[in-house]
Short mmCIF file of all heavy atoms in Angstrom, two decimals:
data_model
loop_
_atom_site.label_atom_id
_atom_site.label_comp_id
_atom_site.label_asym_id
_atom_site.label_seq_id
_atom_site.Cartn_x
_atom_site.Cartn_y
_atom_site.Cartn_z
N MET C 1 0.85 -1.18 0.00
CA MET C 1 0.00 0.00 0.00
C MET C 1 0.89 1.23 0.00
O MET C 1 1.90 1.28 0.68
CB MET C 1 -0.92 0.00 1.22
CG MET C 1 -1.78 1.23 1.31
SD MET C 1 -3.02 1.21 2.60
CE MET C 1 -4.23 0.16 1.86
N THR C 2 0.49 2.21 -0.77
CA THR C 2 1.23 3.47 -0.82
C THR C 2 0.53 4.52 0.05
O THR C 2 -0.64 4.35 0.43
CB THR C 2 1.30 3.99 -2.26
OG1 THR C 2 -0.02 4.35 -2.67
CG2 THR C 2 1.91 2.97 -3.20
N LEU C 3 1.23 5.60 0.33
CA LEU C 3 0.61 6.69 1.08
C LEU C 3 -0.58 7.26 0.31
O LEU C 3 -1.60 7.60 0.92
CB LEU C 3 1.62 7.80 1.35
CG LEU C 3 2.59 7.56 2.49
CD1 LEU C 3 3.61 8.69 2.56
CD2 LEU C 3 1.86 7.43 3.81
N ASP C 4 -0.45 7.35 -1.00
CA ASP C 4 -1.57 7.87 -1.80
C ASP C 4 -2.82 7.02 -1.60
O ASP C 4 -3.91 7.56 -1.38
CB ASP C 4 -1.22 7.90 -3.29
CG ASP C 4 -0.22 8.99 -3.64
OD1 ASP C 4 -0.15 10.00 -2.91
OD2 ASP C 4 0.49 8.82 -4.65
N ILE C 5 -2.66 5.73 -1.66
CA ILE C 5 -3.81 4.83 -1.48
C ILE C 5 -4.34 4.90 -0.06
O ILE C 5 -5.56 4.98 0.15
CB ILE C 5 -3.43 3.38 -1.85
CG1 ILE C 5 -3.15 3.28 -3.36
CG2 ILE C 5 -4.53 2.41 -1.45
CD1 ILE C 5 -2.53 1.96 -3.78
N ALA C 6 -3.45 4.90 0.92
CA ALA C 6 -3.88 4.93 2.32
C ALA C 6 -4.68 6.19 2.63
O ALA C 6 -5.75 6.12 3.25
CB ALA C 6 -2.66 4.83 3.25
N PHE C 7 -4.19 7.33 2.17
CA PHE C 7 -4.90 8.57 2.47
C PHE C 7 -6.17 8.72 1.62
O PHE C 7 -7.14 9.32 2.07
CB PHE C 7 -3.97 9.77 2.36
CG PHE C 7 -3.11 9.95 3.58
CD1 PHE C 7 -1.86 9.35 3.67
CD2 PHE C 7 -3.57 10.66 4.68
CE1 PHE C 7 -1.08 9.48 4.80
CE2 PHE C 7 -2.80 10.80 5.82
CZ PHE C 7 -1.55 10.20 5.88
N SER C 8 -6.16 8.15 0.44
CA SER C 8 -7.38 8.12 -0.37
C SER C 8 -8.44 7.25 0.30
O SER C 8 -9.63 7.63 0.37
CB SER C 8 -7.07 7.59 -1.77
OG SER C 8 -8.24 7.49 -2.53
N ASP C 9 -8.03 6.10 0.81
CA ASP C 9 -8.97 5.23 1.53
C ASP C 9 -9.51 5.93 2.78
O ASP C 9 -10.69 5.78 3.12
CB ASP C 9 -8.29 3.92 1.93
CG ASP C 9 -8.06 2.98 0.76
OD1 ASP C 9 -8.58 3.26 -0.35
OD2 ASP C 9 -7.35 1.97 0.96
N LEU C 10 -8.65 6.68 3.45
CA LEU C 10 -9.08 7.41 4.64
C LEU C 10 -10.16 8.43 4.27
O LEU C 10 -11.20 8.51 4.93
CB LEU C 10 -7.88 8.09 5.28
CG LEU C 10 -8.08 8.81 6.60
CD1 LEU C 10 -8.61 7.86 7.68
CD2 LEU C 10 -6.78 9.43 7.06
N GLU C 11 -9.94 9.16 3.19
CA GLU C 11 -10.94 10.14 2.74
C GLU C 11 -12.23 9.44 2.32
O GLU C 11 -13.33 9.94 2.59
CB GLU C 11 -10.39 11.00 1.60
CG GLU C 11 -11.38 12.02 1.06
CD GLU C 11 -11.96 12.97 2.09
OE1 GLU C 11 -11.25 13.36 3.04
OE2 GLU C 11 -13.15 13.33 1.96
N ASP C 12 -12.11 8.29 1.68
CA ASP C 12 -13.31 7.52 1.32
C ASP C 12 -14.11 7.17 2.57
O ASP C 12 -15.34 7.27 2.58
CB ASP C 12 -12.94 6.23 0.58
CG ASP C 12 -12.42 6.48 -0.83
OD1 ASP C 12 -12.56 7.61 -1.34
OD2 ASP C 12 -11.84 5.53 -1.40
N GLY C 13 -13.42 6.79 3.63
CA GLY C 13 -14.09 6.49 4.90
C GLY C 13 -14.76 7.71 5.49
O GLY C 13 -15.88 7.64 6.00
N PHE C 14 -14.08 8.85 5.40
CA PHE C 14 -14.68 10.10 5.88
C PHE C 14 -15.98 10.39 5.13
O PHE C 14 -16.99 10.78 5.72
CB PHE C 14 -13.73 11.28 5.71
CG PHE C 14 -12.51 11.27 6.58
CD1 PHE C 14 -11.39 11.99 6.22
CD2 PHE C 14 -12.46 10.55 7.77
CE1 PHE C 14 -10.26 12.01 7.02
CE2 PHE C 14 -11.34 10.56 8.57
CZ PHE C 14 -10.23 11.29 8.19
N GLN C 15 -15.95 10.20 3.81
CA GLN C 15 -17.14 10.46 3.01
C GLN C 15 -18.28 9.52 3.36
O GLN C 15 -19.44 9.94 3.42
CB GLN C 15 -16.79 10.37 1.53
CG GLN C 15 -15.94 11.51 1.05
CD GLN C 15 -15.54 11.40 -0.40
OE1 GLN C 15 -16.06 10.58 -1.14
NE2 GLN C 15 -14.60 12.24 -0.83
N LEU C 16 -17.96 8.26 3.60
CA LEU C 16 -19.00 7.31 4.01
C LEU C 16 -19.63 7.71 5.34
O LEU C 16 -20.85 7.63 5.50
CB LEU C 16 -18.42 5.89 4.12
CG LEU C 16 -18.13 5.20 2.79
CD1 LEU C 16 -17.40 3.88 3.05
CD2 LEU C 16 -19.41 4.96 2.02
N LEU C 17 -18.80 8.13 6.28
CA LEU C 17 -19.32 8.60 7.57
C LEU C 17 -20.23 9.80 7.37
O LEU C 17 -21.31 9.88 7.95
CB LEU C 17 -18.18 8.98 8.51
CG LEU C 17 -17.44 7.87 9.19
CD1 LEU C 17 -16.20 8.41 9.90
CD2 LEU C 17 -18.34 7.16 10.19
N GLU C 18 -19.79 10.72 6.56
CA GLU C 18 -20.54 11.95 6.31
C GLU C 18 -21.90 11.65 5.67
O GLU C 18 -22.92 12.24 6.04
CB GLU C 18 -19.71 12.84 5.40
CG GLU C 18 -20.06 14.29 5.40
CD GLU C 18 -18.99 15.10 4.70
OE1 GLU C 18 -18.38 14.61 3.72
OE2 GLU C 18 -18.77 16.23 5.14
N GLN C 19 -21.91 10.72 4.72
CA GLN C 19 -23.15 10.37 4.03
C GLN C 19 -24.09 9.58 4.93
O GLN C 19 -25.31 9.72 4.84
CB GLN C 19 -22.84 9.55 2.78
CG GLN C 19 -22.15 10.32 1.71
CD GLN C 19 -21.59 9.43 0.61
OE1 GLN C 19 -21.77 8.22 0.62
NE2 GLN C 19 -20.90 10.04 -0.35
N GLY C 20 -23.53 8.76 5.81
CA GLY C 20 -24.35 7.89 6.63
C GLY C 20 -24.85 8.51 7.91
O GLY C 20 -25.78 8.00 8.53
N ASP C 21 -24.22 9.60 8.33
CA ASP C 21 -24.56 10.18 9.63
C ASP C 21 -24.28 11.67 9.57
O ASP C 21 -23.14 12.09 9.60
CB ASP C 21 -23.72 9.51 10.72
CG ASP C 21 -24.07 9.97 12.12
OD1 ASP C 21 -24.79 10.98 12.27
OD2 ASP C 21 -23.62 9.32 13.07
N GLY C 22 -25.32 12.46 9.48
CA GLY C 22 -25.15 13.89 9.34
C GLY C 22 -25.20 14.67 10.64
O GLY C 22 -25.43 15.87 10.63
N ARG C 23 -24.99 13.96 11.78
CA ARG C 23 -25.02 14.68 13.05
C ARG C 23 -24.00 15.82 13.05
O ARG C 23 -22.88 15.65 12.57
CB ARG C 23 -24.66 13.74 14.21
CG ARG C 23 -25.70 12.70 14.53
CD ARG C 23 -25.27 11.81 15.67
NE ARG C 23 -24.15 10.97 15.20
CZ ARG C 23 -23.23 10.44 16.01
NH1 ARG C 23 -23.27 10.66 17.29
NH2 ARG C 23 -22.26 9.69 15.51
N PRO C 24 -24.38 16.98 13.56
CA PRO C 24 -23.45 18.11 13.60
C PRO C 24 -22.13 17.77 14.30
O PRO C 24 -21.08 18.21 13.86
CB PRO C 24 -24.22 19.19 14.36
CG PRO C 24 -25.65 18.85 14.12
CD PRO C 24 -25.71 17.35 14.05
N ALA C 25 -22.19 16.99 15.36
CA ALA C 25 -20.97 16.62 16.08
C ALA C 25 -20.04 15.81 15.18
O ALA C 25 -18.82 15.97 15.21
CB ALA C 25 -21.30 15.83 17.34
N LEU C 26 -20.61 14.94 14.36
CA LEU C 26 -19.80 14.15 13.44
C LEU C 26 -19.20 15.03 12.36
O LEU C 26 -18.01 14.90 12.04
CB LEU C 26 -20.61 13.02 12.81
CG LEU C 26 -19.83 12.22 11.77
CD1 LEU C 26 -18.73 11.42 12.45
CD2 LEU C 26 -20.74 11.32 10.99
N ILE C 27 -20.00 15.92 11.80
CA ILE C 27 -19.50 16.81 10.76
C ILE C 27 -18.35 17.65 11.30
O ILE C 27 -17.32 17.82 10.64
CB ILE C 27 -20.62 17.71 10.20
CG1 ILE C 27 -21.76 16.85 9.62
CG2 ILE C 27 -20.08 18.69 9.18
CD1 ILE C 27 -21.35 15.87 8.54
N GLU C 28 -18.50 18.16 12.50
CA GLU C 28 -17.42 18.94 13.14
C GLU C 28 -16.18 18.08 13.34
O GLU C 28 -15.05 18.53 13.08
CB GLU C 28 -17.91 19.48 14.48
CG GLU C 28 -16.91 20.36 15.19
CD GLU C 28 -17.46 20.89 16.51
OE1 GLU C 28 -18.67 21.19 16.58
OE2 GLU C 28 -16.66 21.00 17.45
N ALA C 29 -16.36 16.85 13.78
CA ALA C 29 -15.24 15.94 13.97
C ALA C 29 -14.56 15.64 12.64
O ALA C 29 -13.32 15.56 12.57
CB ALA C 29 -15.71 14.64 14.64
N LEU C 30 -15.34 15.48 11.58
CA LEU C 30 -14.76 15.20 10.27
C LEU C 30 -13.90 16.35 9.76
O LEU C 30 -12.85 16.12 9.15
CB LEU C 30 -15.86 14.88 9.25
CG LEU C 30 -16.47 13.49 9.36
CD1 LEU C 30 -17.72 13.38 8.50
CD2 LEU C 30 -15.46 12.43 8.97
N VAL C 31 -14.32 17.57 10.02
CA VAL C 31 -13.51 18.73 9.62
C VAL C 31 -12.15 18.66 10.31
O VAL C 31 -11.10 18.82 9.68
CB VAL C 31 -14.23 20.06 9.96
CG1 VAL C 31 -13.30 21.25 9.82
CG2 VAL C 31 -15.47 20.23 9.09
N HIS C 32 -12.18 18.37 11.60
CA HIS C 32 -10.94 18.27 12.38
C HIS C 32 -10.10 17.08 11.91
O HIS C 32 -8.89 17.19 11.75
CB HIS C 32 -11.28 18.16 13.86
CG HIS C 32 -10.11 18.20 14.76
ND1 HIS C 32 -9.25 19.26 14.82
CD2 HIS C 32 -9.63 17.28 15.64
CE1 HIS C 32 -8.30 19.01 15.69
NE2 HIS C 32 -8.50 17.82 16.19
N MET C 33 -10.75 15.94 11.65
CA MET C 33 -10.01 14.75 11.22
C MET C 33 -9.38 14.96 9.84
O MET C 33 -8.25 14.53 9.60
CB MET C 33 -10.93 13.53 11.21
CG MET C 33 -11.29 13.06 12.61
SD MET C 33 -12.23 11.51 12.66
CE MET C 33 -13.77 11.99 11.93
N ARG C 34 -10.08 15.63 8.96
CA ARG C 34 -9.50 15.90 7.63
C ARG C 34 -8.28 16.80 7.74
O ARG C 34 -7.29 16.62 7.03
CB ARG C 34 -10.56 16.52 6.72
CG ARG C 34 -11.53 15.51 6.15
CD ARG C 34 -12.51 16.15 5.17
NE ARG C 34 -13.24 15.14 4.45
CZ ARG C 34 -14.57 14.99 4.52
NH1 ARG C 34 -15.31 15.80 5.26
NH2 ARG C 34 -15.16 14.03 3.82
N GLU C 35 -8.33 17.77 8.63
CA GLU C 35 -7.18 18.65 8.83
C GLU C 35 -6.00 17.86 9.39
O GLU C 35 -4.87 18.03 8.93
CB GLU C 35 -7.55 19.81 9.77
CG GLU C 35 -6.41 20.76 10.03
CD GLU C 35 -5.86 21.44 8.77
OE1 GLU C 35 -6.62 21.64 7.80
OE2 GLU C 35 -4.67 21.77 8.76
N LEU C 36 -6.27 17.00 10.36
CA LEU C 36 -5.20 16.16 10.90
C LEU C 36 -4.63 15.24 9.83
O LEU C 36 -3.41 15.03 9.77
CB LEU C 36 -5.70 15.35 12.09
CG LEU C 36 -5.98 16.15 13.37
CD1 LEU C 36 -6.75 15.29 14.37
CD2 LEU C 36 -4.68 16.65 13.97
N ALA C 37 -5.47 14.71 8.97
CA ALA C 37 -5.01 13.84 7.89
C ALA C 37 -4.13 14.63 6.91
O ALA C 37 -3.08 14.14 6.49
CB ALA C 37 -6.19 13.21 7.16
N ARG C 38 -4.54 15.85 6.57
CA ARG C 38 -3.72 16.69 5.67
C ARG C 38 -2.36 16.99 6.30
O ARG C 38 -1.32 16.91 5.63
CB ARG C 38 -4.44 18.00 5.35
CG ARG C 38 -5.49 17.88 4.26
CD ARG C 38 -5.99 19.25 3.81
NE ARG C 38 -6.72 19.95 4.85
CZ ARG C 38 -8.02 19.80 5.09
NH1 ARG C 38 -8.74 18.99 4.36
NH2 ARG C 38 -8.60 20.48 6.05
N GLU C 39 -2.37 17.33 7.58
CA GLU C 39 -1.12 17.62 8.28
C GLU C 39 -0.23 16.38 8.33
O GLU C 39 0.99 16.47 8.12
CB GLU C 39 -1.41 18.12 9.69
CG GLU C 39 -2.06 19.49 9.73
CD GLU C 39 -2.53 19.88 11.12
OE1 GLU C 39 -2.29 19.13 12.09
OE2 GLU C 39 -3.15 20.96 11.24
N SER C 40 -0.83 15.23 8.60
CA SER C 40 -0.08 13.99 8.65
C SER C 40 0.56 13.68 7.30
O SER C 40 1.75 13.34 7.22
CB SER C 40 -1.00 12.84 9.08
OG SER C 40 -0.29 11.62 9.04
N ARG C 41 -0.22 13.80 6.24
CA ARG C 41 0.31 13.51 4.91
C ARG C 41 1.48 14.44 4.58
O ARG C 41 2.50 14.02 4.02
CB ARG C 41 -0.79 13.62 3.86
CG ARG C 41 -0.31 13.38 2.44
CD ARG C 41 0.37 12.01 2.34
NE ARG C 41 1.21 11.88 1.19
CZ ARG C 41 0.86 11.30 0.05
NH1 ARG C 41 -0.35 10.80 -0.08
NH2 ARG C 41 1.71 11.20 -0.94
N ALA C 42 1.34 15.71 4.92
CA ALA C 42 2.41 16.67 4.65
C ALA C 42 3.68 16.28 5.41
O ALA C 42 4.79 16.36 4.87
CB ALA C 42 1.97 18.08 5.03
N LEU C 43 3.52 15.84 6.64
CA LEU C 43 4.68 15.41 7.43
C LEU C 43 5.32 14.15 6.84
O LEU C 43 6.55 14.05 6.77
CB LEU C 43 4.28 15.18 8.89
CG LEU C 43 3.97 16.45 9.68
CD1 LEU C 43 3.25 16.12 10.97
CD2 LEU C 43 5.27 17.20 9.96
N PHE C 44 4.50 13.20 6.40
CA PHE C 44 5.05 12.01 5.73
C PHE C 44 5.84 12.43 4.49
O PHE C 44 6.93 11.92 4.24
CB PHE C 44 3.94 11.04 5.33
CG PHE C 44 3.53 10.08 6.41
CD1 PHE C 44 2.23 10.06 6.87
CD2 PHE C 44 4.43 9.17 6.96
CE1 PHE C 44 1.83 9.16 7.85
CE2 PHE C 44 4.05 8.27 7.94
CZ PHE C 44 2.74 8.26 8.38
N ASP C 45 5.30 13.36 3.73
CA ASP C 45 5.97 13.81 2.50
C ASP C 45 7.32 14.46 2.81
O ASP C 45 8.23 14.42 1.98
CB ASP C 45 5.09 14.78 1.72
CG ASP C 45 3.90 14.08 1.07
OD1 ASP C 45 3.92 12.83 0.94
OD2 ASP C 45 2.95 14.80 0.70
N LEU C 46 7.44 15.06 3.99
CA LEU C 46 8.70 15.68 4.41
C LEU C 46 9.65 14.67 5.05
O LEU C 46 10.76 15.04 5.45
CB LEU C 46 8.42 16.82 5.40
CG LEU C 46 7.70 18.03 4.84
CD1 LEU C 46 7.31 18.99 5.96
CD2 LEU C 46 8.59 18.74 3.82
N GLY C 47 9.19 13.43 5.19
CA GLY C 47 10.03 12.41 5.82
C GLY C 47 9.95 12.41 7.33
O GLY C 47 10.73 11.73 8.00
N GLU C 48 9.00 13.15 7.88
CA GLU C 48 8.82 13.26 9.33
C GLU C 48 7.83 12.19 9.80
O GLU C 48 6.68 12.48 10.13
CB GLU C 48 8.32 14.66 9.69
CG GLU C 48 9.28 15.77 9.30
CD GLU C 48 10.53 15.79 10.16
OE1 GLU C 48 10.49 15.30 11.31
OE2 GLU C 48 11.56 16.28 9.67
N THR C 49 8.30 10.94 9.84
CA THR C 49 7.42 9.81 10.10
C THR C 49 6.80 9.84 11.50
O THR C 49 5.59 9.63 11.63
CB THR C 49 8.18 8.49 9.89
OG1 THR C 49 8.73 8.49 8.57
CG2 THR C 49 7.27 7.29 10.05
N ASN C 50 7.62 10.07 12.52
CA ASN C 50 7.07 10.05 13.89
C ASN C 50 6.00 11.12 14.11
O ASN C 50 4.91 10.80 14.60
CB ASN C 50 8.18 10.16 14.93
CG ASN C 50 8.94 8.87 15.08
OD1 ASN C 50 8.44 7.80 14.76
ND2 ASN C 50 10.16 8.95 15.57
N PRO C 51 6.25 12.38 13.76
CA PRO C 51 5.19 13.38 13.93
C PRO C 51 3.95 13.07 13.08
O PRO C 51 2.82 13.32 13.50
CB PRO C 51 5.83 14.69 13.49
CG PRO C 51 7.30 14.47 13.60
CD PRO C 51 7.51 13.01 13.35
N ALA C 52 4.17 12.50 11.89
CA ALA C 52 3.04 12.13 11.03
C ALA C 52 2.18 11.07 11.70
O ALA C 52 0.95 11.15 11.68
CB ALA C 52 3.54 11.63 9.68
N CYS C 53 2.83 10.09 12.32
CA CYS C 53 2.09 9.04 13.02
C CYS C 53 1.35 9.60 14.23
O CYS C 53 0.23 9.16 14.53
CB CYS C 53 3.04 7.92 13.45
SG CYS C 53 3.65 6.94 12.05
N HIS C 54 1.94 10.57 14.90
CA HIS C 54 1.27 11.20 16.04
C HIS C 54 -0.01 11.91 15.59
O HIS C 54 -1.02 11.89 16.30
CB HIS C 54 2.20 12.16 16.78
CG HIS C 54 3.28 11.47 17.54
ND1 HIS C 54 3.04 10.76 18.69
CD2 HIS C 54 4.60 11.36 17.30
CE1 HIS C 54 4.17 10.24 19.14
NE2 HIS C 54 5.14 10.59 18.30
N LYS C 55 0.03 12.54 14.41
CA LYS C 55 -1.17 13.18 13.87
C LYS C 55 -2.26 12.15 13.60
O LYS C 55 -3.43 12.38 13.88
CB LYS C 55 -0.86 13.94 12.57
CG LYS C 55 0.00 15.15 12.74
CD LYS C 55 -0.75 16.29 13.37
CE LYS C 55 0.15 17.51 13.45
NZ LYS C 55 -0.53 18.63 14.09
N LEU C 56 -1.86 10.98 13.07
CA LEU C 56 -2.84 9.93 12.82
C LEU C 56 -3.42 9.40 14.12
O LEU C 56 -4.62 9.08 14.20
CB LEU C 56 -2.21 8.79 12.01
CG LEU C 56 -1.87 9.12 10.57
CD1 LEU C 56 -1.19 7.94 9.90
CD2 LEU C 56 -3.11 9.54 9.78
N GLN C 57 -2.60 9.31 15.15
CA GLN C 57 -3.11 8.89 16.46
C GLN C 57 -4.09 9.93 17.01
O GLN C 57 -5.11 9.56 17.60
CB GLN C 57 -1.96 8.66 17.43
CG GLN C 57 -1.16 7.42 17.10
CD GLN C 57 0.11 7.30 17.91
OE1 GLN C 57 0.68 8.29 18.36
NE2 GLN C 57 0.57 6.07 18.08
N ALA C 58 -3.79 11.20 16.82
CA ALA C 58 -4.71 12.25 17.26
C ALA C 58 -6.03 12.15 16.50
O ALA C 58 -7.10 12.33 17.08
CB ALA C 58 -4.07 13.63 17.05
N LEU C 59 -5.95 11.83 15.22
CA LEU C 59 -7.15 11.64 14.40
C LEU C 59 -7.99 10.51 14.98
O LEU C 59 -9.21 10.64 15.11
CB LEU C 59 -6.73 11.32 12.97
CG LEU C 59 -7.79 11.24 11.91
CD1 LEU C 59 -7.17 11.53 10.56
CD2 LEU C 59 -8.50 9.92 11.87
N GLU C 60 -7.35 9.42 15.35
CA GLU C 60 -8.07 8.29 15.93
C GLU C 60 -8.76 8.68 17.24
O GLU C 60 -9.89 8.27 17.50
CB GLU C 60 -7.10 7.14 16.18
CG GLU C 60 -7.78 5.90 16.70
CD GLU C 60 -6.80 4.75 16.93
OE1 GLU C 60 -5.59 4.99 17.06
OE2 GLU C 60 -7.28 3.61 16.98
N GLU C 61 -8.11 9.51 18.03
CA GLU C 61 -8.71 9.96 19.30
C GLU C 61 -9.95 10.81 19.06
O GLU C 61 -10.90 10.76 19.83
CB GLU C 61 -7.68 10.72 20.14
CG GLU C 61 -6.56 9.84 20.67
CD GLU C 61 -7.04 8.68 21.52
OE1 GLU C 61 -7.92 8.87 22.38
OE2 GLU C 61 -6.54 7.55 21.29
N VAL C 62 -9.96 11.59 17.99
CA VAL C 62 -11.14 12.39 17.63
C VAL C 62 -12.28 11.47 17.22
O VAL C 62 -13.44 11.71 17.54
CB VAL C 62 -10.81 13.39 16.50
CG1 VAL C 62 -12.06 14.08 16.00
CG2 VAL C 62 -9.77 14.40 16.97
N LEU C 63 -11.94 10.39 16.54
CA LEU C 63 -12.95 9.47 16.01
C LEU C 63 -13.57 8.58 17.09
O LEU C 63 -14.75 8.25 17.02
CB LEU C 63 -12.33 8.60 14.92
CG LEU C 63 -13.24 7.62 14.21
CD1 LEU C 63 -14.40 8.35 13.55
CD2 LEU C 63 -12.47 6.81 13.20
N LYS C 64 -12.82 8.22 18.11
CA LYS C 64 -13.30 7.27 19.12
C LYS C 64 -14.65 7.66 19.73
O LYS C 64 -15.57 6.84 19.75
CB LYS C 64 -12.26 7.07 20.22
CG LYS C 64 -11.18 6.12 19.84
CD LYS C 64 -10.20 5.95 20.99
CE LYS C 64 -9.06 5.04 20.57
NZ LYS C 64 -8.08 4.89 21.64
N PRO C 65 -14.82 8.88 20.25
CA PRO C 65 -16.12 9.21 20.85
C PRO C 65 -17.25 9.21 19.84
O PRO C 65 -18.38 8.89 20.18
CB PRO C 65 -15.92 10.61 21.44
CG PRO C 65 -14.50 10.97 21.27
CD PRO C 65 -13.86 9.95 20.40
N VAL C 66 -16.96 9.57 18.60
CA VAL C 66 -17.98 9.58 17.57
C VAL C 66 -18.42 8.16 17.27
O VAL C 66 -19.61 7.88 17.14
CB VAL C 66 -17.46 10.28 16.29
CG1 VAL C 66 -18.47 10.17 15.17
CG2 VAL C 66 -17.12 11.73 16.58
N ARG C 67 -17.48 7.22 17.18
CA ARG C 67 -17.80 5.84 16.91
C ARG C 67 -18.64 5.26 18.06
O ARG C 67 -19.59 4.55 17.83
CB ARG C 67 -16.53 4.99 16.75
CG ARG C 67 -15.86 5.17 15.44
CD ARG C 67 -14.80 4.14 15.23
NE ARG C 67 -13.99 3.97 16.43
CZ ARG C 67 -12.73 3.56 16.43
NH1 ARG C 67 -12.13 3.30 15.31
NH2 ARG C 67 -12.06 3.44 17.56
N VAL C 68 -18.26 5.57 19.28
CA VAL C 68 -18.98 5.03 20.43
C VAL C 68 -20.42 5.53 20.42
O VAL C 68 -21.35 4.75 20.58
CB VAL C 68 -18.28 5.45 21.76
CG1 VAL C 68 -19.15 5.13 22.95
CG2 VAL C 68 -16.94 4.72 21.86
N LYS C 69 -20.61 6.82 20.19
CA LYS C 69 -21.96 7.37 20.16
C LYS C 69 -22.77 6.73 19.03
O LYS C 69 -23.94 6.44 19.18
CB LYS C 69 -21.91 8.88 19.99
CG LYS C 69 -21.44 9.61 21.21
CD LYS C 69 -21.37 11.09 20.97
CE LYS C 69 -20.76 11.81 22.17
NZ LYS C 69 -20.55 13.23 21.90
N GLY C 70 -22.16 6.53 17.88
CA GLY C 70 -22.85 5.92 16.76
C GLY C 70 -23.23 4.49 17.02
O GLY C 70 -24.28 4.02 16.61
N ALA C 71 -22.37 3.76 17.73
CA ALA C 71 -22.64 2.36 18.02
C ALA C 71 -23.73 2.21 19.08
O ALA C 71 -24.51 1.27 19.05
CB ALA C 71 -21.35 1.67 18.50
N VAL C 72 -23.80 3.17 20.00
CA VAL C 72 -24.78 3.09 21.08
C VAL C 72 -26.14 3.57 20.59
O VAL C 72 -27.16 3.03 20.99
CB VAL C 72 -24.31 3.95 22.29
CG1 VAL C 72 -25.40 4.03 23.34
CG2 VAL C 72 -23.03 3.36 22.86
N ALA C 73 -26.14 4.55 19.72
CA ALA C 73 -27.40 5.17 19.27
C ALA C 73 -28.24 4.20 18.47
O ALA C 73 -27.89 3.19 17.99
CB ALA C 73 -27.10 6.41 18.43
#
């Protein structure tokens, strides 16, 4: 898998979430997650692997509460 494919797949997932659940909290989270994904990709492109991975971990932390709420609802 390449970075292009990985980040494209990530955006595809964001779009599926957006289409399937229009809750304002989710939309707000998606804006933040997309920004973190853009920052992460830029860091990967610069060869800054550790900071890029930290951005992806931060993205996952934003997603966790949204997933829990969606699973419970």
Side-chain angles (χ1 to χ4, degrees):
M1 178 173 282
T2 67
L3 281 175
D4 288 335
I5 293 170
F7 280 91
S8 177
D9 287 351
L10 186 59
E11 179 56 35
D12 289 347
F14 291 158
Q15 289 177 12
L16 286 173
L17 282 171
E18 200 168 34
Q19 292 168 2
D21 184 347
R23 290 179 291 155
L26 176 68
I27 301 304
E28 183 178 324
L30 283 169
V31 168
H32 186 60
M33 289 186 292
R34 282 184 169 117
E35 180 60 29
L36 289 168
R38 279 190 294 274
E39 292 171 4
S40 176
R41 178 56 199 262
L43 288 165
F44 275 120
D45 289 343
L46 293 172
E48 299 289 335
T49 305
N50 284 338
C53 290
H54 289 289
K55 291 287 183 181
L56 291 177
Q57 289 170 333
L59 187 155
E60 184 179 21
E61 292 302 315
V62 172
L63 182 59
K64 280 181 183 178
V66 174
R67 283 191 315 207
V68 169
K69 288 178 185 174
V72 173

